[in-house]
Amino acid sequence: MQNNLFTTIRSLKLVDGCKSAAIFTIPPSSSSSSAASSSSTSAASSSSETSGKPHLLPLLRSKSIQPPPLSHHNQPPLKPPLVLPYGLPSSDLIDPPVDPFLRTTDPIPSLSSLYRRFSRSPSLPSSELCDLYLEHYSLLRSLADPKLLRRSLRNARLYASDPHHKLVFSAWLRFERRDDELHHPPPLLPCLPSAPPLECPRSALSSLPDSPSSLCPCHRDPPLDSHRPSVELDIHDDDDDDGDGDVEVVEEDGDEADVYICIGDDEVGCSRHRIAALSRPLWALLYGEFAESRRTHINFGQNHISPNSMKAVETFSRRNKLEDDVPIDVVLEILSFANKFCCDGLKSACDERLASLVLTIDDALQLIDFGLEETAYLLVAACLQVFLRGLPKSLQDPEIMRLLCSPEGKERLLQAGHASFALYYFLSQVAMEEEMRSNTTVMLFERLNECAAPGWQKQLALHQLGCVMLERQEYKDAQKLFEEAVAEGHAYSQIGVARAKYKRGHKYAAYKQINGLFSEHNPTGWMYQERSLYGIGKEKMADLKIATELDPTLSYPYKYRAITLMEDNKISAAIAEINKIIRFKVSTDCLELRAWFFLAIEDYEGALQDIRALMTLDPNYMMFHGKLHGEQMIEILKQRVHQLDMADCWMQLYDRWSAVDDIGSLAVVHQMLSKEPANSSLRFRQSLLLLRLNCQKAAMHSLRMARNNSSQEHERLVYEGWILYDTGHREEALAKAEESIAIQRSFEAFFLKAYALADSSLDQSLSSYVIQLLEQANSCASDNLRKGQVSKTTATCIEFIHFAFASHFVVCFL
């Protein structure tokens, strides 16, 4: 109940924004609603169209949003208009992709089994819990719920027990917010006060356990005594010890030099027992049976260490810490010396010092090779962290790509303790999102497969690599990989096997492959959808019908039926069919198909609206099966549609917003942004519309653009707050809202604060405070649409408080 209520606070609907009804229900676009009209009006529409083709009417402001109705029958055979240089859509080119993630035949048993394993969490080590949450993330990907996915990643980061997994998951969480798209992105160090603690780079390099409420190390108070006293480490060779030696700590200020380390013409005076205490090899050298144990002058000229570095080692032996003014080249020499003589304490100090110096990509590139050669765990971790936090741009660097993608690079990382399934899982997802067919993506998935353990990890790695090969049209390799995934227990990979066989010309073998699924598992929507690809006629249509009944969210059946209707010269019925999926699930391919239908009947206004909307979802979208960029199609259609000035666009936006025409509103906002690309308010409105359409990736992009284009600090803080809130960081979002209010009281700042608070508790007193915040928001300057929204939401909040109180009273009474 609470979730439905507070979703309405952010909702843009004025009429039904406070209803807790259907999810993302979208009215048909202006042209499509008339096309889906009942048969009782078909005669009237038919008579109106027989006089000629639809004309380009000027855009009116309120009641004339819908284009002219479309005819259902008696149309002449279709001829592609001049604006369709690539012809009409073909059903042969819309095959659904093989989903590149784990998909079970029934997710309920899989998730319940995972839940039972979580229930034993008190007895499980942190590393195993981290792996469980990563598996949970993989299973939830088929549900396409960003909030659930981020929650699993946060839990995986919370239970990560070593710096390597901490830095991988913190970078993964940061990548989900795509800070790389922000102008002047936050620095690597130190963290901003409102930054999520689990994403802190210093915290990731720490071996200490984390908690969601703890502050990151960047903002913790430094210890009162930051200087450790000098100590003496004395190793006694005792016959009764276990071979590790006993360490006696003696507090002393210093000792006189009783041994001299000779390097060239220089001599470095040292305390023999302090140098010997650094490691057992040095103790054996200075107190064992070697000749050096009887000498006061020992030649270290062949040990590749300079006099300055040896002086720093001597100082460390007395004070047990590296001095702050030690140059980096000296630290590098000391680290090599520590590795050669197995000085663990000295190596750790150098490792920490070098890791703290890695702040940029250039720093990391200069130090990563040295860290790998010396197996400096923290130094390599710090360099790797910079590479990961620079994704996806860092994958374009040849040196970084060579390290992360090549088998040799993986082996070097493995020796340093930094090659894992989690690392290559993250890298492969980033690469696949950027360009699925690239060689980089293939190499990363090969490394992922090498790191995968038997079970779900192997299933995922093989299946995803098979999807990449299928996309690259390497069907033989794809089939082999899918078959290996099936052998590991992933039933859904049989879809990949069948698809690869089909692409290789073995249609009947593909049909038999899918039929085998029906005999082994309970039928699902995607099984019927896949079998329909290999059938014809009535059998194909029957499979598509059952697929829609079992899973209405599958878009392929709607698209195929719509194209079939178009081929039968029934454009209105085709538009009505594709509207069935667009009403509750907006996607670029369905919008493109509907725009294609509009173009076929020369309804350029309706086509332009859908193309503007789909370009909002994906600015790089290529239309007509990847042959023409969407923006080029918009330029073509603009010559055939009346163009509005900004004042008329605002009126259009007001009318469509009030009519809850989200796709129409998106199209108007897209047109306005083409005139004023730096308008942050329009970008923000665009993000709200996209969130209502459940297009979160596009919505977050719009929010980041709003933040980049904002010229006012208080506005920028609000947009940053919404970005944090939408990625699951409520407390940080509240901090941004309060910081914005401290600079300037504004409608959006109070609105953000109210929304974040309302979503955090059911407490009645808090609900009253939320209402006060909404009233304060209403007292600030804003447009009538937003103020009307607050007034509506405030009234609903009051009703909810009374309802919640009454429900609580009834429960207590029972």
Side-chain angles (χ1 to χ4, degrees):
M1 178 67 187
Q2 182 207 17
N3 185 49
N4 290 331
L5 166 75
F6 295 125
T7 299
T8 65
I9 299 181
R10 190 132 178 228
S11 171
L12 302 178
K13 298 182 179 181
L14 296 180
V15 179
D16 58 350
C18 297
K19 296 178 183 177
S20 59
I23 55 169
F24 308 116
T25 300
I26 302 162
S29 108
S30 33
S31 297
S32 57
S33 61
S34 59
S37 60
S38 63
S39 59
S40 61
T41 62
S42 62
S45 66
S46 177
S47 62
S48 66
E49 290 171 9
T50 53
S51 60
K53 295 179 180 178
H55 296 284
L56 302 180
L57 301 179
L59 295 176
L60 302 181
R61 291 185 177 174
S62 60
K63 296 183 179 180
S64 299
I65 296 176
Q66 312 295 334
L70 304 172
S71 170
H72 286 261
H73 24 239
N74 299 328
Q75 288 182 326
L78 285 174
K79 295 181 180 179
L82 294 177
V83 293
L84 281 177
Y86 302 104
L88 298 171
S90 171
S91 58
D92 296 332
L93 300 176
I94 61 167
D95 290 351
V98 179
D99 293 330
F101 43 74
L102 292 181
R103 184 184 282 278
T104 59
T105 54
D106 187 356
I108 303 302
S110 301
L111 291 173
S112 62
S113 173
L114 197 60
Y115 177 79
R116 286 192 295 270
R117 292 158 67 189
F118 279 130
S119 64
R120 301 194 301 269
S121 59
S123 62
L124 295 176
S126 295
S127 59
E128 190 169 339
L129 275 172
C130 178
D131 292 339
L132 279 179
Y133 278 112
L134 186 58
E135 181 180 357
H136 190 233
Y137 170 87
S138 301
L139 287 175
L140 290 176
R141 286 197 64 196
S142 61
L143 302 180
D145 189 324
K147 289 186 178 180
L148 292 178
L149 294 175
R150 280 193 297 270
R151 186 181 303 167
S152 297
L153 283 179
R154 282 199 301 274
N155 285 328
R157 165 64 184 87
L158 185 62
Y159 288 102
S161 57
D162 57 84
H164 171 74
H165 284 86
K166 285 183 177 183
L167 71 90
V168 169
F169 288 116
S170 62
W172 201 335
L173 286 168
R174 187 176 186 268
F175 176 79
E176 291 295 321
R177 292 193 290 112
R178 296 305 299 259
D179 280 354
D180 61 290
E181 291 187 0
L182 299 177
H183 293 169
H184 309 296
L188 182 64
L189 288 172
C191 289
L192 298 177
S194 59
L198 291 180
E199 297 178 24
C200 174
R202 280 181 176 160
S203 177
L205 295 179
S206 170
S207 57
L208 299 176
D210 298 299
S211 66
S213 58
S214 62
L215 290 174
C216 70
C218 299
H219 302 289
R220 292 176 188 156
D221 293 332
L224 295 178
D225 185 9
S226 59
H227 298 284
R228 288 175 290 180
S230 59
V231 297
E232 177 181 356
L233 303 178
D234 194 9
I235 300 178
H236 300 274
D237 187 17
D238 197 320
D239 294 337
D240 297 330
D241 64 17
D242 58 359
D244 293 333
D246 298 325
V247 178
E248 179 183 355
V249 178
V250 181
E251 297 277 346
E252 289 186 9
D253 292 334
D255 289 326
E256 293 183 1
D258 55 359
V259 64
Y260 295 88
I261 306 299
C262 301
I263 303 171
D265 296 332
D266 295 300
E267 295 181 355
V268 179
C270 303
S271 169
R272 181 184 293 268
H273 75 281
R274 289 187 181 277
I275 296 296
L278 292 177
S279 70
R280 293 199 64 83
L282 285 175
W283 180 89
L285 177 70
L286 297 176
Y287 284 105
E289 300 300 324
F290 293 96
E292 284 81 1
S293 63
R294 295 179 294 275
R295 296 175 181 171
T296 58
H297 290 73
I298 302 174
N299 184 9
F300 264 39
Q302 302 301 317
N303 288 312
H304 305 291
I305 186 170
S306 66
N308 288 337
S309 299
M310 195 63 222
K311 290 176 183 178
V313 171
E314 189 276 331
T315 303
F316 179 87
S317 71
R318 288 185 288 105
R319 301 184 180 180
N320 200 29
K321 61 171 290 187
L322 282 176
E323 295 298 312
D324 295 336
D325 58 351
V326 177
I328 185 172
D329 57 329
V330 171
V331 179
L332 294 173
E333 283 189 11
I334 297 173
L335 179 57
S336 296
F337 175 86
N339 253 341
K340 179 177 292 186
F341 289 98
C342 304
C343 305
D344 293 339
L346 181 59
K347 179 178 179 178
S348 296
C350 294
D351 199 5
E352 291 180 11
R353 172 65 59 82
L354 292 171
S356 68
L357 299 176
V358 181
L359 301 178
T360 65
I361 291 284
D362 291 336
D363 297 337
L365 288 174
Q366 291 177 13
L367 292 173
I368 184 66
D369 286 333
F370 183 85
L372 290 169
E373 290 172 5
E374 301 295 340
T375 61
Y377 182 80
L378 284 181
L379 175 57
V380 175
C383 297
L384 185 59
Q385 180 169 243
V386 172
F387 297 154
L388 296 182
R389 295 170 84 88
L391 291 171
K393 293 180 181 178
S394 56
L395 278 181
Q396 300 171 6
D397 188 291
E399 293 185 44
I400 298 176
M401 189 180 70
R402 193 179 305 112
L403 173 67
L404 298 178
C405 301
S406 67
E408 298 78 14
K410 193 210 79 171
E411 289 302 319
R412 296 182 72 193
L413 289 171
L414 184 62
Q415 292 175 4
H418 286 287
S420 68
F421 178 83
L423 169 65
Y424 287 104
Y425 191 6
F426 173 36
L427 289 170
S428 61
Q429 301 314 299
V430 174
M432 186 165 58
E433 185 176 321
E434 289 297 304
E435 177 49 63
M436 193 170 183
R437 299 183 183 91
S438 69
N439 293 332
T440 299
T441 304
V442 173
M443 289 189 291
L444 286 173
F445 273 113
E446 289 173 346
R447 305 292 83 73
L448 178 71
N449 187 32
E450 293 167 359
C451 294
W456 74 270
Q457 292 185 3
K458 206 69 174 177
Q459 294 173 19
L460 177 67
L462 291 168
H463 179 76
Q464 289 193 318
L465 185 53
C467 291
V468 172
M469 291 302 182
L470 191 67
E471 192 73 15
R472 288 164 61 97
Q473 300 181 3
E474 299 177 21
Y475 301 127
K476 187 175 181 179
D477 291 338
Q479 180 179 335
K480 180 181 177 182
L481 290 163
F482 284 129
E483 288 172 345
E484 292 178 7
V486 172
E488 288 288 335
H490 191 223
Y492 179 73
S493 292
Q494 293 192 48
I495 296 290
V497 177
R499 194 72 64 89
K501 290 179 177 179
Y502 175 60
K503 295 294 186 181
R504 297 176 67 190
H506 309 302
K507 187 174 183 178
Y508 181 65
Y511 183 83
K512 287 179 61 179
Q513 183 80 33
I514 296 303
N515 267 343
L517 270 176
F518 285 86
S519 61
E520 299 170 3
H521 305 278
N522 292 328
T524 61
W526 53 262
M527 291 183 191
Y528 281 101
Q529 173 180 270
E530 188 67 21
R531 192 171 71 175
S532 72
L533 298 177
Y534 317 122
I536 57 174
K538 293 182 179 179
E539 182 183 357
K540 183 183 186 77
M541 299 304 290
D543 281 345
L544 289 173
K545 181 181 179 182
I546 299 174
T548 300
E549 291 172 354
L550 293 177
D551 188 354
T553 64
L554 297 173
S555 61
Y556 173 74
Y558 301 96
K559 293 163 63 178
Y560 183 86
R561 288 190 291 261
I563 292 178
T564 302
L565 289 167
M566 179 211 67
E567 291 171 347
D568 292 339
N569 203 17
K570 299 176 182 178
I571 295 294
S572 296
I575 293 175
E577 180 65 29
I578 201 65
N579 279 339
K580 293 177 182 178
I581 181 73
I582 291 179
R583 281 192 177 98
F584 66 90
K585 182 184 178 182
V586 175
S587 61
T588 53
D589 55 341
C590 291
L591 285 173
E592 180 196 11
L593 189 58
R594 190 169 70 176
W596 214 330
F597 294 153
F598 289 150
L599 290 172
I601 57 172
E602 301 185 21
D603 181 3
Y604 302 126
E605 183 180 331
L608 182 59
Q609 172 177 291
D610 281 350
I611 295 173
R612 286 191 182 277
L614 77 86
M615 293 308 295
T616 301
L617 299 180
D618 183 0
N620 298 316
Y621 192 81
M622 300 292 291
M623 297 186 63
F624 308 127
H625 305 305
K627 297 175 182 176
L628 183 69
H629 196 281
E631 290 294 342
Q632 292 178 271
M633 195 65 212
I634 289 175
E635 292 301 318
I636 295 173
L637 291 176
K638 281 167 63 175
Q639 302 173 14
R640 298 171 178 266
V641 176
H642 174 65
Q643 296 298 299
L644 303 177
D645 57 22
M646 284 299 291
D648 288 334
C649 284
W650 276 110
M651 293 302 297
Q652 277 278 326
L653 180 60
Y654 185 92
D655 290 336
R656 298 193 180 223
W657 201 319
S658 301
V660 202
D661 179 5
D662 295 338
I663 293 179
S665 299
L666 275 181
V668 175
V669 171
H670 185 276
Q671 182 178 355
M672 298 169 74
L673 284 171
S674 66
K675 302 175 184 292
E676 296 182 3
N679 191 320
S680 59
S681 175
L682 285 174
R683 286 287 185 186
F684 180 59
R685 289 180 181 276
Q686 187 181 64
S687 72
L688 297 175
L689 286 165
L690 290 166
L691 282 174
R692 279 187 46 205
L693 297 177
N694 202 25
C695 302
Q696 185 158 18
K697 181 180 177 181
M700 296 301 295
H701 176 75
S702 295
L703 266 178
R704 288 188 288 270
M705 294 303 100
R707 184 264 192 192
N708 289 343
N709 294 326
S710 178
S711 59
Q712 302 293 327
E713 179 66 18
H714 70 278
E715 286 183 0
R716 190 178 302 114
L717 289 169
V718 169
Y719 301 147
E720 290 174 357
W722 280 120
I723 292 172
L724 288 166
Y725 177 83
D726 288 329
T727 51
H729 304 289
R730 295 174 185 163
E731 294 182 1
E732 292 80 4
L734 276 173
K736 291 287 185 180
E738 291 170 354
E739 189 177 351
S740 176
I741 292 171
I743 297 174
Q744 180 174 327
R745 294 166 57 90
S746 67
F747 174 91
E748 296 297 349
F750 280 114
F751 198 69
L752 169 61
K753 184 175 181 180
Y755 192 84
L757 283 173
D759 197 27
S760 61
S761 175
L762 276 172
D763 185 72
Q764 183 178 357
S765 60
L766 182 60
S767 299
S768 302
Y769 181 52
V770 168
I771 293 174
Q772 294 178 13
L773 289 174
L774 291 174
E775 291 172 345
Q776 292 183 54
N778 210 25
S779 66
C780 300
S782 185
D783 57 77
N784 292 333
L785 282 175
R786 300 289 279 167
K787 285 198 172 184
Q789 179 182 346
V790 168
S791 299
K792 190 80 172 180
T793 304
T794 304
T796 308
C797 283
I798 295 173
E799 293 177 7
F800 173 74
I801 290 172
H802 293 310
F803 173 79
F805 180 77
S807 301
H808 179 72
F809 176 78
V810 171
V811 170
C812 293
F813 178 77
L814 293 176

